[in-house]
Amino acid sequence: MNSIFSGTRLRDMIRSIRACKTAAEERGVVRKECADIRASINENDPHDRHRNLAKLMFIHMLGYPTHFGQMECLKLIASPGFPEKRIGYLGLMLLLDERQEVLMLVTNSLKQDLNHTNQYVVGLALCALGNICSAEMARDLAPEVERLIQFRDPNIRKKAALCSTRIVRKVPDLAENFINAASSLLKEKHHGVLITGVQLCYELCTINDEALEYFRKKCTEGLIKTLRDITNSAYQPEYDVAGITDPFLHIRLLKLLRVLGHGDADASDLMTDILAQVATKTESNKNAGNAVLYECVETIMAIEDTSSLRVLAINILGRFLSNRDNNIRYVALNMLMKAIAFDDQAVQRHRVTILECVKDPDASIRKRALELVSLLVNENNVKQLTKELIDYLEISDEDFKEDLSAKICSIVEKFSPEKIWYIDQMLKVLSEAGKFVKDDVWHALIVVISNASELHGYTVRALYKAVLTYSEQETLVRVAIWCIGEYGDLLVNNVGMLGIEDPITVTESDAVDVVEDAITRHNSDMTTKAMALVALLKLSSRFPSISERIKDIIVKQKGSLLLEMQQRAIEFNSIVDRHKNIRPSLVERMPVLDEATFNVRRAGSLPASVSTMAKPSVSIPNGVAAAPLVDLLDLGSDDIMAAPSSSGADFLQDLLGVDLGSSSAQSGATPGPKAGADLLMDILSIGTPSPAQNNTSSVDLLSTPGINKNPSNALDTLSSPALPHIATTASAGGMFDLLDGLTPSPSKEATNGPAYPPIVAYESSTLKIEFTFSKSSGNPQETNVQATFINLSPNTFTDFIFQAAVPKVISVFFFSPLLSSYQNFFNIVFRSFNLQFLQLHLDPASSNTLPASGNITQNLRVTNSQHGKKSLVMRMRIGYKVNGKDVLEEGQINNFPRGL
Amino acid sequence: MSFDPMDRLMSLCVPSLNLRMHRSLIDSLEIQSCYLLSEHSCLASGFGSIHFVLLVSRQGKVRLTKWYSPYTQKERSKVIRELSGVILNRGPKLCNFVEWRGYKVVYKRYASLYFCMCIDAEDNELEVLEIIHHYVEILDRYFGSVCELDLIFNFHKAYYILDELLIAGEIQESSKKTVARIISAQDEMVEAAKEEAGSISYIIAQAS
């Protein structure tokens, strides 16, 4: 090192950086050095450039910005001397990458250097081009590189070949130009050139079909010969690695043969012998030999069927799998995954060993083994494999439990032969790794439990037992709480005992203990607490004897710091306290959850329209996109079509959401003048407190699935309390208190007489509208209305238009606990649902001119699909001209007789 | 076993590959963590090549980085941070492969230095181990019982040698002798140029 490339100065800098005790100190040294380098760059002294760049590269490696040195690289590359060029190209490759514009500036220098008389300069340029060239540079310089593949010196030929691989990767169109040059390289004797030539051919084959055909025809035999030669060659110290002659060349040849043999029986046939030879003769006690064997097995499995070879390959993998070297076992697991595709049986034979690998201390091996095991599972071995995996789950590392439990769950779900087994296994997983289980997994479990009606008792007892031991497993607690809430009575009374069960004695108070524990534990999250609260509400009805105690627990939650918990506690308390008569039906057991719908939703394919359980094809009147409503906890309405108008995106909302009954409503928008009226209008129009709606709303609000089984009964129960107070806005915050406004009021049962008294639908100072009603025969849902418009003013109304609209959607507010797993926060919100139940048909009016004190009539036909349950309600607008002036009157008709 | 940078890398090199690592339990870096790199089309088109080479010391200091696929500076430091965290914490006797962001990183420890190479998931890991060893042997021959300190103060030499071994992430020479010959030929050219420059500056100094 002389004074120009002052090694001392570079050394000094490295020493002083290494001497730094703290990161701050190091930053200081680097800052000072960078300042010096900048100053030196500005002086533009060519003698310092060399050293500056070397320092910058070191600083760059430490992770400091060095962009200001980029131009120095270009200057060094452009200078005539070899030392400058050498460090310049190194800096170029280190400090720049192909995405930097500066790189384009170097294209010209590269072109000159590729034509340089000194072969080492050419080598530098090729190396730089091969490592960082962009697509543009590749296009510009491809002809030079192509020419250099034929260069006299092998050192340049091999560099040009690898440079070409980069070029064709960047610009696949150029592949054709290199086919001939590449095939000439395959005849080389020099190993370096041969290796790079084979690599270039491999690259061309994967990019270009023409090239693949060409090499397959012309070169397959030559390549096989080359492979045979090096396999059989005598000891060559220069290329020998652990007794194998040039394993790198071996591997590249095998790789190229793989693409040539794949999909071509003839070519595959040709290479059978040599592959068999490599597979049997290669020493497998050293890594180099195993690397060759590994590649050979890959090739055997990729080429066209030669079953005897495949047996050989599987045997090699079997040997690999039992190897003590972890690396070898790892690649064996990796390869067996591919081998399953053509020989499942052979891989199954190694099942025991593979299972052992799942328990390996090495995370990489465990991961591979677990992937492989999940591919090995089928109907026959699922029980045994699952047992093994679950046993291991108990003792596995914490950080592996997540992967492992996810795999077990997917295996169990996919192959479970019967429900009880599924439930058993899931309980075990939840008990061991409940905190790692994803939401959709335990949601699915609840759906399955709900569907297995004969196992409800068994499940709730098993869960009760499990939760006593594993109370720290969040998801287990959730499922247990849900089941206790739903099936608490089965738990206490030992209903539906299976032969395999040990009888247990659980008192009502024991069951409540579990729920109380969950709600009071400080580390229970929001979802769990919400579920516990709902479970308590349900239990208050299931266990009337201790409902006082339950009430106390609920009351305590009034003091919760979480607004929603507080709010709901107050409401639930009100239900427990004041509405004993409706409580049983409010908290009845949920209907069976629909598995198909759940699975569809879980698969992520949300249909555009909401499918209700009974009628998948109903359309949503207002087009609100919503998640299909599959619900684990109901407070639903039936016999109506509903769609949430509030954002339905939350994944969890349907867990405790609303259950939809079948809808008998006709789909589609209501024909009528106001068909286009906006949703809010409809909501508001119906949201106005009015006696006519009381009945309607209370049914919707409080109906329970019980209605499905016994509609009249449920109706009787539910129609008694009326709700004078209905939400006019869907307040997500839930500050609006529904239940406090709920006071029992005597209900006047509708008298469904055949005749209905006429009503004055509207009256203003100028206009009066009277409605008279008649039922069409045979269809009680349909009502004919004759509207009579009476002009009370002295003026004539012209262009008289009467527009009427019934709510094509009626919005009713349900309350449902809306759980959000993402925010770790839950809302029990009043969810707004739009229910279509009315249809309106208008006949033409008798005239469009209404003389002073005269009248005109118009017929309307209203279809109420909720006949007998909901009353009619209508909005109308009357437009007319008085003395050429437009008048618009609007009104709402709420006083329809009951029973229409 | 000490981790002094003066330790000769090859002296601890025993034929069986797994005896040189230290144990710890943090070894799971899952693919879930952002797929920052897979967005680059360049990586997608890389068939069987090495995406980058990384040399880090026991203390996590970077001794050499070579990127064959385009990464921004930001990504580079992120990759280095993540990988050194995972690899330095892997225990001994574990396999030399780490699955990382859908790729595989093959690493091998020589005395105080970890040599890491990132490849595609379906590439031949065992071969990459051979490539690493090949590189270390060439370094050892060139420096004469190479140790970490050699690579710190002569980092540019380590790069030159790597450039004679790999281009575009592919191996270009399987003969250690050939690599050594080409490197020494180039070193001689540099020496010759320096002598010439030295004599010229001497003449200039004399003349002035």
Side-chain angles (χ1 to χ4, degrees):
Chain A
M1 303 274 163
N2 70 1
S3 62
I4 298 174
F5 178 61
S6 166
T8 51
R9 282 299 311 275
L10 174 64
R11 282 187 164 258
D12 288 346
M13 184 192 80
I14 295 175
R15 270 201 198 99
S16 53
I17 288 175
R18 276 173 57 74
C20 293
K21 297 268 183 304
T22 64
E25 207 179 318
E26 184 186 288
R27 276 197 296 275
V29 172
V30 170
R31 206 180 302 124
K32 192 178 158 297
E33 282 292 343
C34 283
D36 288 350
I37 294 169
R38 276 173 202 266
S40 167
I41 287 174
N42 289 338
E43 278 170 28
N44 211 4
D45 180 358
H47 292 301
D48 289 336
R49 245 178 226 148
H50 199 285
R51 189 179 60 199
N52 287 342
L53 187 57
K55 284 192 198 168
L56 275 179
M57 283 192 280
F58 190 83
I59 292 171
H60 177 86
M61 267 202 300
L62 297 175
Y64 295 93
T66 50
H67 48 273
F68 56 87
Q70 291 174 350
M71 289 310 287
E72 293 300 288
C73 298
L74 305 194
K75 286 178 191 164
L76 281 165
I77 290 170
S79 56
F82 179 77
E84 287 79 18
K85 278 186 191 294
R86 196 185 194 193
I87 194 114
Y89 275 118
L90 182 58
L92 184 79
M93 288 184 280
L94 204 59
L95 305 185
L96 277 81
D97 67 64
E98 63 173 272
R99 279 169 301 189
Q100 268 146 333
E101 303 259 312
V102 188
L103 199 58
M104 284 309 293
L105 299 175
V106 89
T107 312
N108 204 37
S109 300
L110 274 170
K111 195 164 192 158
Q112 281 173 7
D113 285 347
L114 288 175
N115 292 303
H116 204 278
T117 48
N118 185 328
Q119 61 138 321
Y120 292 106
V121 174
V122 178
L124 288 177
L126 280 173
C127 178
L129 192 62
N131 283 344
I132 60 165
C133 85
S134 63
E136 261 172 277
M137 291 168 79
R139 276 185 205 282
D140 288 349
L141 299 171
E144 261 74 25
V145 177
E146 199 188 320
R147 185 176 51 77
L148 288 170
I149 294 181
Q150 324 277 355
F151 200 79
R152 69 193 139 69
D153 190 278
N155 180 34
I156 298 302
R157 286 205 297 275
K158 71 186 187 193
K159 285 190 163 71
L162 285 187
C163 198
S164 308
T165 62
R166 168 113 183 175
I167 288 172
V168 298
R169 272 179 208 167
K170 287 282 163 200
V171 191
D173 309 351
L174 291 173
E176 289 172 24
N177 305 355
F178 287 95
I179 295 176
N180 281 322
S183 64
S184 72
L185 292 177
L186 297 181
K187 301 182 187 79
E188 291 273 353
K189 289 279 171 271
H190 185 284
H191 280 219
V193 182
L194 200 47
I195 282 180
T196 55
V198 171
Q199 181 62 42
L200 177 58
C201 291
Y202 174 79
E203 209 74 47
L204 292 170
C205 287
T206 52
I207 291 170
N208 188 309
D209 288 342
E210 238 171 82
L212 179 60
E213 270 317 303
Y214 179 87
F215 289 121
R216 191 176 274 157
K217 279 215 185 75
K218 307 259 166 146
C219 306
T220 309
E221 289 183 48
L223 287 166
I224 290 169
K225 186 177 175 302
T226 312
L227 180 57
R228 184 173 296 127
D229 287 349
I230 65 155
T231 307
N232 296 329
S233 79
Y235 175 68
Q236 294 184 36
E238 194 174 351
Y239 299 107
D240 186 81
V241 178
I244 313 275
T245 305
D246 206 338
F248 304 108
L249 182 55
H250 263 100
I251 288 170
R252 258 151 209 80
L253 285 167
L254 287 166
K255 226 161 134 181
L256 181 54
L257 288 179
R258 179 154 78 234
V259 290
L260 297 180
H262 182 71
D264 189 291
D266 293 340
S268 301
D269 221 36
L270 281 176
M271 57 188 80
T272 315
D273 286 349
I274 184 65
L275 290 178
Q277 194 193 339
V278 173
T280 45
K281 292 223 174 126
T282 308
E283 284 281 342
S284 65
N285 52 357
K286 291 279 166 55
N287 182 62
N290 285 327
V292 172
L293 278 175
Y294 176 35
E295 204 64 41
C296 185
V297 170
E298 279 254 36
T299 301
I300 289 173
M301 296 201 304
I303 65 171
E304 293 316 299
D305 187 35
T306 41
S307 36
S308 59
L309 268 186
R310 290 196 172 168
V311 173
L312 204 57
I314 296 269
N315 287 343
I316 292 175
L317 293 181
R319 270 205 328 265
F320 274 17
L321 196 59
S322 51
N323 199 303
R324 277 175 46 231
D325 185 337
N326 281 326
N327 290 338
I328 308 298
R329 282 197 297 145
Y330 177 90
V331 298
L333 292 167
N334 218 1
M335 297 291 288
L336 284 170
M337 280 175 72
K338 295 180 192 165
I340 283 185
F342 57 81
D343 196 350
D344 184 56
Q345 279 313 304
V347 184
Q348 291 283 1
R349 276 201 298 277
H350 299 292
R351 208 168 57 213
V352 179
T353 324
I354 295 166
L355 263 176
E356 283 307 306
C357 292
V358 175
K359 304 169 188 176
D360 200 271
D362 187 336
S364 297
I365 289 183
R366 283 198 305 249
K367 204 169 151 77
R368 279 294 120 228
L370 192 57
E371 294 287 330
L372 184 54
V373 165
S374 63
L375 291 178
L376 282 178
V377 175
N378 57 34
E379 286 80 5
N380 304 323
N381 59 23
V382 61
K383 285 198 173 180
Q384 187 207 343
L385 281 175
T386 310
K387 184 179 178 307
E388 290 269 0
L389 292 179
I390 287 178
D391 286 349
Y392 179 61
L393 186 62
E394 289 170 27
I395 50 166
S396 70
D397 288 352
E398 284 292 300
D399 48 359
F400 188 50
K401 279 188 176 168
E402 185 171 350
D403 276 354
L404 186 56
S405 58
K407 267 287 181 296
I408 297 174
C409 291
S410 76
I411 291 170
V412 169
E413 277 174 30
K414 202 164 156 201
F415 295 103
S416 108
E418 67 232 352
K419 277 184 174 159
I420 184 165
W421 185 82
Y422 170 87
I423 291 172
D424 280 346
Q425 307 311 310
M426 291 304 291
L427 289 199
K428 283 184 201 162
V429 174
L430 289 183
S431 304
E432 291 302 333
K435 53 190 156 196
F436 303 110
V437 169
K438 299 261 184 319
D439 281 345
D440 61 336
V441 172
W442 65 268
H443 293 178
L445 173 61
I446 286 188
V447 173
V448 171
I449 292 174
S450 157
N451 278 281
S453 53
E454 69 288 351
L455 296 173
H456 284 168
Y458 167 77
T459 309
V460 70
R461 283 186 293 275
L463 275 164
Y464 173 80
K465 274 183 274 186
V467 84
L468 291 183
T469 325
Y470 304 98
S471 60
E472 77 286 0
Q473 303 288 1
E474 193 87 45
T475 52
L476 176 75
V477 173
R478 286 184 198 164
V479 178
I481 286 172
W482 187 87
C483 285
I484 291 173
E486 292 295 317
Y487 315 120
D489 42 340
L490 308 182
L491 171 66
V492 174
N493 303 325
N494 277 334
V495 175
M497 283 294 275
L498 301 184
I500 49 170
E501 276 186 83
D502 295 327
I504 52 167
T505 321
V506 184
T507 65
E508 296 180 342
S509 157
D510 290 341
V512 174
D513 281 344
V514 170
V515 184
E516 186 183 10
D517 186 46
I519 206 169
T520 50
R521 265 156 60 90
H522 68 279
N523 55 354
S524 292
D525 79 356
M526 233 45 53
T527 310
T528 312
K529 287 190 175 178
M531 292 180 74
L533 197 62
V534 174
L536 285 170
L537 179 66
K538 295 215 162 194
L539 289 180
S540 72
S541 154
R542 311 256 194 286
F543 302 153
S545 63
I546 56 165
S547 76
E548 273 309 303
R549 176 172 168 223
I550 292 171
K551 197 185 122 191
D552 288 344
I553 303 172
I554 293 177
V555 167
K556 266 188 214 143
Q557 292 302 316
K558 280 185 178 178
S560 170
L561 289 177
L562 308 161
L563 181 65
E564 292 304 322
M565 287 292 285
Q566 200 182 92
Q567 170 86 11
R568 251 24 79 186
I570 291 168
E571 287 160 6
F572 288 178
N573 183 39
S574 158
I575 293 176
V576 176
D577 236 10
R578 287 193 263 163
H579 304 292
K580 293 218 170 61
N581 48 348
I582 62 157
R583 192 178 62 197
S585 45
L586 249 184
V587 301
E588 250 183 65
R589 200 171 289 167
M590 279 190 71
V592 169
L593 300 162
D594 186 45
E595 266 174 300
T597 321
F598 178 78
N599 290 335
V600 166
R601 190 178 48 98
R602 199 176 169 198
S605 54
L606 301 182
S609 65
V610 170
S611 354
T612 59
M613 292 181 187
K615 273 199 153 188
S617 61
V618 286
S619 70
I620 302 308
N622 54 14
V624 176
L629 297 159
V630 177
D631 311 304
L632 302 190
L633 196 75
D634 61 299
L635 282 164
S637 80
D638 56 333
D639 291 335
I640 44 167
M641 186 171 74
S645 70
S646 58
S647 120
D650 193 334
F651 180 76
L652 258 174
Q653 70 177 25
D654 20 51
L655 175 70
L656 299 172
V658 171
D659 152 46
L660 298 180
S662 60
S663 168
S664 57
Q666 282 91 349
S667 56
T670 313
K674 272 195 91 176
D678 76 10
L679 169 67
L680 188 61
M681 187 89 151
D682 291 326
I683 292 174
L684 291 176
S685 68
I686 206 68
T688 316
S690 69
Q693 282 170 279
N694 289 346
N695 205 359
T696 305
S697 312
S698 57
V699 169
D700 291 336
L701 184 71
L702 301 170
S703 63
T704 68
I707 291 172
N708 280 335
K709 297 162 208 149
N710 198 348
S712 57
N713 222 352
L715 259 181
D716 288 345
T717 327
L718 289 165
S719 52
S720 48
L723 256 188
H725 187 151
I726 295 169
T728 52
T729 53
S731 80
M735 284 312 291
F736 169 88
D737 196 333
L738 184 68
L739 291 163
D740 274 1
L742 184 124
T743 48
S745 70
S747 143
K748 290 179 211 122
E749 270 305 309
T751 49
N752 289 3
Y756 303 93
I759 60 165
V760 176
Y762 180 79
E763 188 160 10
S764 71
S765 57
T766 52
L767 184 68
K768 182 174 163 184
I769 304 171
E770 286 177 0
F771 279 7
T772 53
F773 306 98
S774 61
K775 281 280 180 194
S776 22
S777 52
N779 188 354
Q781 294 190 347
E782 211 168 280
T783 310
N784 294 317
V785 181
Q786 191 184 49
T788 309
F789 308 96
I790 304 158
N791 188 344
L792 304 175
S793 76
N795 304 315
T796 304
F797 300 162
T798 55
D799 298 340
F800 186 91
I801 296 171
F802 168 72
Q803 295 175 310
V806 291
K808 61 181 183 291
V809 287
I810 179 169
S811 100
V812 180
F813 298 93
F814 299 99
F815 68 91
S816 67
L818 175 76
L819 304 172
S820 162
S821 59
Y822 308 115
Q823 301 159 321
N824 231 352
F825 176 77
F826 90 111
N827 267 332
I828 298 174
V829 298
F830 288 86
R831 255 180 38 213
S832 148
F833 281 81
N834 304 305
L835 323 162
Q836 176 170 1
F837 72 104
L838 291 177
Q839 271 202 321
L840 177 69
H841 178 83
L842 269 81
D843 290 335
S846 58
S847 162
N848 66 352
T849 307
L850 186 55
S853 309
N855 66 58
I856 50 177
T857 58
Q858 186 168 10
N859 286 325
L860 301 84
R861 200 167 63 244
V862 183
T863 311
N864 179 2
S865 60
Q866 300 290 300
H867 175 72
K869 295 176 195 158
K870 295 191 175 78
S871 298
L872 284 183
V873 65
M874 192 182 288
R875 274 203 137 215
M876 57 174 187
R877 182 160 65 179
I878 306 107
Y880 52 88
K881 280 186 174 160
V882 188
N883 303 329
K885 231 175 74 189
D886 282 323
V887 177
L888 197 67
E889 294 190 47
E890 285 183 320
Q892 181 162 319
I893 309 164
N894 299 319
N895 55 340
F896 284 100
R898 288 190 164 266
L900 279 179
Chain B
M1 206 186 281
S2 72
F3 313 118
D4 196 279
M6 297 289 281
D7 281 353
R8 283 180 288 161
L9 302 187
M10 295 296 282
S11 64
L12 292 166
C13 179
V14 256
S16 160
L17 297 170
N18 307 315
L19 300 173
R20 292 175 299 283
M21 289 154 280
H22 265 242
R23 172 153 190 86
S24 157
L25 283 171
I26 311 160
D27 27 39
S28 62
L29 181 87
E30 296 307 315
I31 299 168
Q32 312 154 354
S33 66
C34 75
Y35 282 88
L36 186 106
L37 302 177
S38 51
E39 289 159 17
H40 297 302
S41 55
C42 178
L43 286 188
S45 68
F47 304 100
S49 72
I50 294 164
H51 296 300
F52 57 81
V53 177
L54 189 64
L55 262 69
V56 276
S57 72
R58 264 302 297 161
Q59 289 78 27
K61 293 266 187 228
V62 179
R63 296 303 176 207
L64 182 145
T65 57
K66 188 86 186 175
W67 309 86
Y68 296 103
S69 301
Y71 296 78
T72 64
Q73 291 301 333
K74 228 175 158 181
E75 289 161 357
R76 289 180 184 185
S77 37
K78 194 163 186 253
V79 166
I80 294 170
R81 233 182 5 255
E82 274 184 29
L83 275 181
S84 41
V86 176
I87 290 171
L88 298 184
N89 283 313
R90 269 175 73 86
K93 300 200 180 166
L94 303 185
C95 70
N96 295 53
F97 319 125
V98 194
E99 291 176 29
W100 172 81
R101 293 188 188 180
Y103 299 100
K104 269 177 199 155
V105 177
V106 179
Y107 70 94
K108 195 170 170 187
R109 185 179 160 187
Y110 290 88
S112 55
L113 267 188
Y114 285 87
F115 289 69
C116 318
M117 292 187 181
C118 173
I119 52 169
D120 285 332
E122 61 276 11
D123 284 346
N124 188 334
E125 304 91 343
L126 300 179
E127 189 209 3
V128 177
L129 277 177
E130 281 307 315
I131 294 178
I132 291 175
H133 192 70
H134 193 54
Y135 180 42
V136 176
E137 279 187 323
I138 296 171
L139 287 175
D140 197 57
R141 239 177 243 201
Y142 181 81
F143 287 100
S145 297
V146 67
C147 68
E148 192 188 340
L149 272 187
D150 291 328
L151 299 186
I152 294 172
F153 285 101
N154 298 292
F155 66 92
H156 49 293
K157 301 273 175 72
Y159 278 107
Y160 292 144
I161 293 171
L162 187 62
D163 282 341
E164 290 300 331
L165 189 63
L166 297 175
I167 288 182
E170 303 291 352
I171 189 161
Q172 62 163 317
E173 184 56 71
S174 53
S175 158
K176 296 183 267 279
K177 220 163 88 185
T178 308
V179 175
R181 191 169 47 75
I182 294 170
I183 288 287
S184 68
Q186 297 185 59
D187 285 351
E188 275 163 29
M189 283 175 68
V190 173
E191 287 303 316
K194 274 183 205 161
E195 265 166 39
E196 199 182 319
S199 61
I200 289 171
S201 60
Y202 176 74
I203 293 165
I204 293 170
Q206 290 280 311
S208 52

